[in-house]
């Protein structure tokens, strides 16, 4: 529960509001979610393999219908992240909010809501999610 990091501050706030037991429960839920995510992830053996995975993901995203303004905004955010990942040579990149919002053509205040919507959609296994295994 390091206070210099967002997760630590959030956990500390839970502990202050609801007690240590609730904060520990939150940590266990987050850890279980992380373990599940890592367990369903694939290992990228090379840069070429990473490009193949990113190309397949881009193809899946581009061929999925994105209806409504919110969905089209989410599509622009995904395209921005894919562009950064392709430049980095793999799915991990270090683009910040400002750069992502600029490339996506949206305001910096809109970006967190879109990232949140995309993360919720990822938990529901939307039609645009991909299984690259």
């Amino acid at each position: 529960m390091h206070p210099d990091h967002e997760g630590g501050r959030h956990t500390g706030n839970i502990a202050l509001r609801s007690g240590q037991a609730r904060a520990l429960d939150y940590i266990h839920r987050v850890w279980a979610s992380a373990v599940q995510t890592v367990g369903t992830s694939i290992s990228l053996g090379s840069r070429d393999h990473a490009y193949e995975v990113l190309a397949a993901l881009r193809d899946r995203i581009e061929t999925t219908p994105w209806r409504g303004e919110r969905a089209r905004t989410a599509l622009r955010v995904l395209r921005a992240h894919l562009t950064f990942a392709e430049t980095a040579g793999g799915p991990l990149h270090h683009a910040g909010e400002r750069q992502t919002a600029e490339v996506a053509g949206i305001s910096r205040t809109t970006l967190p809501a879109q990232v949140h919507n995309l993360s919720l959609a990822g938990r529901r296994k939307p039609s645009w999610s991909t299984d690259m295994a």
Side-chain angles (χ1 to χ4, degrees), residues 6-54:
E6 184 177 338
R9 284 190 300 272
H10 182 65
T11 305
N13 288 338
I14 293 172
L16 287 173
R17 255 190 352 260
S18 305
Q20 192 72 17
R22 180 64 67 86
L24 288 173
D25 184 48
Y26 169 77
I27 291 170
H28 290 295
R29 284 194 321 270
V30 170
W31 182 258
S33 175
V35 167
Q36 180 182 6
T37 299
V38 170
T40 59
S41 299
I42 62 168
S43 175
L44 298 174
S46 68
R47 190 179 208 107
D48 289 336
H49 185 222
Y51 284 127
E52 289 173 18
V53 169
L54 292 172

Side-chain angles (χ1 to χ4, degrees), residues 67-79:
R67 293 180 181 87
E69 186 61 31
R70 188 181 306 177
R72 287 189 298 273
T73 302
L75 173 61
R76 290 197 304 268
V77 171
L78 280 176
R79 284 177 177 156

Side-chain angles (χ1 to χ4, degrees), residues 56-71:
L57 183 59
R58 182 177 289 279
D59 183 56
R60 184 84 179 257
I61 289 169
E62 296 293 347
T63 58
T64 299
W66 295 80
R67 293 180 181 87
E69 186 61 31
R70 188 181 306 177

